[in-house]
Amino acid sequence: MTDELSLRGGVVVIGGGTMGQGIATAALMSGLSTTVVDVDGAMLQRAEATIARRIRRARDKDAATVLAGLTLSTDMLSAVADAAVVIEAVPEIVELKISIFAQLADAARATALLVSNTSTMSITRLADAAAGSGRVIGMHFFNPAHKMPLVEVVTASSTTPLTVRDALALATALGKDPILVKDVPGFVTSRLGLLLGSEAMRMVEEGVAPAADIDKAMRLGYGHPMGPLELADLVGLDVRLNNLKSMQQRSDATQYRVPRILQRLVDDGNLGKKTKSGFYRYDTDGHPILPGRL
Ligand code: NAI
């Protein structure tokens, strides 16, 4: 890559869950050939169905052409070999992400852009795992990633200026509106959003008000498009829990301690909208059954 980001070789998204599905949808809709890699074959089938549904809804005429650009794989090492861009979207577990970046350093082309969608982790630590590659950078997308316009672009100390330029160009190619952020725990959005969400959970625990009223307060009083508990259910309560644990590992601040109610919901398998139960219950179409159950 010299003057312009070349996307020949396409995009490989590692992790076909909530975020991987959204990022892959965005890449396909932008005309990029896209491979989704997951260790779980059943997850890949679900990812394919979700991506296809979204693309058919958005593109009635050329959906088949767009979908022809999608490949599914359980073999990360061969999938990334010719990729122009690799975007990691596996769970927020530091050892897992470190192991992925260590493998990418060998398996991907030296020119490939190596991106993490982490919500909280040190991009410098991931770049170190990839032998200090200057091609490692954070691109923090938002859920649903094919619709939400923001991407936080996060640079490691080893990230080269060319990599920053390429990541900004990729964000634009995906139709996003990026901001550049320093490699601090939680960047801008998770650092603020996790605090708001956790305080809302603690208020449910304390019986200050029911979940639905706490959300209503922030929607009607503060103009938030979505309340903090609705948002936590959308993000996934297991994802929230991992994010809080990761923030605790990166700072000694006690404000990121895990609310008891969050731990209990996750332990009981109530992971939010994706399991149809979290702070709310959801019907089969994913609409909340009001009033909130807690
Ligand atoms: P998820 O749990 O929905 O999906 C993760 C996927 O990764 C699963 O399908 C799993 O099978 C797969 N996976 C696990 N190990 C793997 C491996 N070694 N190779 C390939 N695939 C593997 O998680 P989600 O919500 O998509 O989050 C992924 C990342 O995105 C996390 O770092 C999270 O913090 C971040 N994020 C999540 C947001 C959200 O709203 N859910 C928003 C922005 C960032």
Side-chain angles (χ1 to χ4, degrees), residues 13-21 23 37-40 43-44 46 73-74 76 88-93 96-97 99-100 103 116-121 139-144 190 231 234-236 238-240 242-243 274:
V13 180
I14 303 172
T18 307
M19 293 308 291
Q21 293 169 13
I23 294 166
V37 175
D38 205 294
V39 283
D40 179 349
M43 200 65 209
L44 277 180
R46 280 205 288 280
S73 173
T74 51
M76 179 179 85
E88 168 278 307
V90 302
E92 194 80 347
I93 299 166
L96 177 59
K97 294 205 192 253
S99 133
I100 299 259
Q103 294 177 67
S116 175
N117 180 50
T118 178
S119 304
T120 60
M121 278 174 205
M139 288 180 73
H140 184 210
F141 291 83
F142 293 81
N143 184 13
S190 301
L231 181 59
L234 176 70
V235 165
D238 51 339
V239 175
R240 270 297 162 97
N242 282 338
N243 288 350
K274 62 186 164 189

Side-chain angles (χ1 to χ4, degrees), residues 24 37 46 51 63 78 98 153 195 239 261:
V37 175
R46 280 205 288 280
I51 293 167
S78 38
I98 282 178
V153 174
L195 288 183
V239 175
I261 194 168

Side-chain angles (χ1 to χ4, degrees), residues 127-282:
D128 287 349
S133 168
R135 297 296 284 163
V136 174
I137 195 159
M139 288 180 73
H140 184 210
F141 291 83
F142 293 81
N143 184 13
H146 60 299
K147 289 195 173 155
M148 297 294 277
L150 181 66
V151 174
E152 288 180 290
V153 174
V154 188
T155 55
S157 50
S158 53
T159 305
T160 64
L162 181 67
T163 301
V164 176
R165 198 202 62 185
D166 284 350
L168 293 171
L170 174 64
T172 306
L174 294 175
K176 304 300 178 195
D177 197 348
I179 59 167
L180 259 181
V181 185
K182 279 190 186 166
D183 189 14
V184 297
F187 324 126
V188 171
T189 51
S190 301
R191 182 163 158 179
L192 290 173
L194 286 171
L195 288 183
L196 187 66
S198 294
E199 278 310 300
M201 292 174 198
R202 279 191 259 279
M203 284 198 279
V204 175
E205 243 169 46
E206 291 164 17
V208 173
D213 286 348
I214 293 170
D215 282 338
K216 182 173 168 183
M218 297 311 285
R219 274 191 272 104
L220 301 191
Y222 271 37
H224 289 199
M226 207 182 225
L229 298 160
E230 295 168 278
L231 181 59
D233 268 5
L234 176 70
V235 165
L237 300 185
D238 51 339
V239 175
R240 270 297 162 97
L241 180 63
N242 282 338
N243 288 350
L244 283 169
K245 287 181 177 166
S246 169
M247 286 298 275
Q248 280 177 330
Q249 283 169 8
R250 287 197 70 191
S251 65
D252 51 11
T254 53
Q255 67 259 40
Y256 293 107
R257 69 193 187 281
V258 173
R260 283 193 310 276
I261 194 168
L262 175 63
Q263 185 70 63
R264 203 179 69 233
L265 284 166
V266 172
D267 288 347
D268 292 346
N270 298 309
L271 307 184
K273 205 169 173 183
K274 62 186 164 189
T275 59
K276 308 261 183 288
S277 177
F279 284 95
Y280 296 87
R281 284 208 181 91
Y282 298 84

